[in-house]
Amino acid sequence: MKKNWKLLSVLMIAMLLILAGCGSNNEGGGNAAKGESGSDGIATIKERGKLLVGVKFDTKLFGLKDPASGQVEGFDIDISKAIAKHILGDENAIELKEVTSKTRIPMLNNGEIDMVVATMTITEERKKEVDFSDVYFQAGQSLLVKKGSPVKGIADITKDSTVLGSKGSTSVKNIKEKVPGVTVLEFDNYQDAFTALKTGKGDALTTDDAILYGMAAQDPNYEVVGEPFTDEPYGIAVQKGNSAVVKAINDTLAELKSSGEYDKIYEKWIGKAPAK
Ligand code: GLU
């Protein structure tokens, strides 16, 4: 009899654990396009009538929020609008949610957003957690320094240097591999990293050249130096298995390229970047 009680309680605990497990599928309360069934992702977006996109709010040229108007603008925003137009027939049927390099994958997999369009490099490691679209932008990692700095390129970064970066970025990982022993200070976002550079907390800030051009455009006392030392092909991330949404994104990118619209968006944002 005693044994039966033990068995019963073990069974009850197991059932509770199973129930708890089911509930956690909806963690974050999101109703974003799920990855389970290839075509459901599009149906979810259409039923909602709005595309939920994770973008940067602090990255000039790609996704920057104007505090006065509240508008978020940049290359990634124009690409996101084109996807909303393709899926929903209206480029304004969109809600932009702020992500950082660190929060973008958790927010996507929590169901808070349908996709990430946020200067995100396609990597083998990230492919274990999300699916990616085709490449929609090609960047490379570089360095931003105060004008007149002795740092003229990656060769000037040594184990005695202090470099600033953003948590969760490939940039931090890459620089540690390139220069073993280098000190890297990691910030929650790029504006905090830039503020740290301005207050003399490091010798250089490192991330993709295109992002650094945006910072140089914000303050002419800073410049991008040296040649890019990595390849950073940007992709749009969706939940794993969400093949219908990946197809809709890739179709949008192909249309943008064949119509010449992609070149216009590129020129509008990246063409404005200051020359090195
Ligand atoms: N493209 C790099 C990355 O995905 C750096 C830019 C960023 O942090 O978003 O990590």
Side-chain angles (χ1 to χ4, degrees):
M1 190 62 188
K2 212 173 169 198
K3 240 188 177 161
N4 281 346
W5 277 114
K6 228 178 175 179
L7 188 68
L8 202 65
S9 50
V10 167
L11 278 173
M12 276 176 71
I13 288 169
M15 269 171 68
L16 282 173
L17 285 175
I18 290 167
L19 282 171
C22 290
S24 73
N25 275 346
N26 286 325
E27 210 178 289
N31 63 343
K34 293 265 185 278
E36 288 105 50
S37 153
S39 60
D40 272 356
I42 295 290
T44 307
I45 294 165
K46 286 193 170 162
E47 270 161 37
R48 190 195 307 118
K50 190 166 73 174
L51 190 67
L52 307 177
V53 187
V55 297
K56 296 282 180 82
F57 275 22
D58 76 332
T59 304
K60 192 174 166 73
L61 306 181
F62 285 88
L64 184 70
K65 186 170 182 171
D66 178 339
S69 68
Q71 290 291 322
V72 190
E73 290 189 324
F75 185 87
D76 281 339
I77 313 307
D78 286 357
I79 298 289
S80 303
K81 285 182 177 170
I83 298 166
K85 184 153 191 218
H86 179 92
I87 298 176
L88 295 164
D90 177 3
E91 66 164 36
N92 294 315
I94 194 165
E95 187 180 328
L96 302 171
K97 296 199 184 187
E98 182 176 17
V99 298
T100 65
S101 306
K102 200 179 125 199
T103 65
R104 60 194 161 194
I105 292 180
M107 281 179 70
L108 179 67
N109 286 337
N110 267 346
E112 288 173 62
I113 46 181
D114 297 315
M115 60 189 66
V116 174
V117 189
T119 67
M120 187 173 182
T121 301
I122 302 170
T123 68
E124 289 308 314
E125 208 178 320
R126 288 174 179 163
K127 276 190 200 165
K128 291 178 193 152
E129 295 182 89
V130 299
D131 283 350
F132 282 105
S133 70
D134 294 337
V135 175
Y136 74 98
F137 188 86
Q138 188 68 55
Q141 187 170 344
S142 204
L143 299 166
L144 182 78
V145 298
K146 189 163 186 166
K147 279 184 182 163
S149 159
V151 174
K152 304 283 178 221
I154 184 70
D156 298 319
I157 300 294
T158 70
K159 64 174 182 28
D160 298 322
S161 310
T162 299
V163 174
L164 314 170
S166 180
K167 286 177 192 162
S169 67
T170 53
S171 328
V172 163
K173 203 167 160 267
N174 294 338
I175 195 89
K176 287 179 182 167
E177 279 167 16
K178 290 258 169 213
V179 187
V182 67
T183 300
V184 183
L185 302 183
E186 299 179 39
F187 296 85
D188 282 332
N189 59 59
Y190 283 107
Q191 283 307 321
D192 287 353
F194 193 21
T195 303
L197 182 69
K198 289 179 186 169
T199 51
K201 300 237 163 47
D203 303 300
L205 192 165
T206 191
T207 188
D208 302 334
D209 47 3
I211 298 175
L212 297 177
Y213 291 139
M215 293 180 183
Q218 285 176 318
D219 188 331
N221 294 315
Y222 292 83
E223 65 179 346
V224 181
V225 290
E227 289 303 313
F229 50 88
T230 68
D231 281 327
E232 306 292 331
Y234 290 180
I236 295 167
V238 302
Q239 277 191 10
K240 263 200 147 330
N242 209 345
S243 53
V245 177
V246 170
K247 184 179 181 307
I249 295 168
N250 287 341
D251 288 350
T252 309
L253 295 174
E255 281 165 19
L256 287 176
K257 290 206 172 142
S258 64
S259 68
E261 192 58 31
Y262 180 91
D263 289 342
K264 280 191 202 152
I265 297 173
Y266 190 96
E267 195 46 40
K268 177 175 164 197
W269 297 106
I270 313 305
K272 276 203 302 204
K276 273 196 277 179

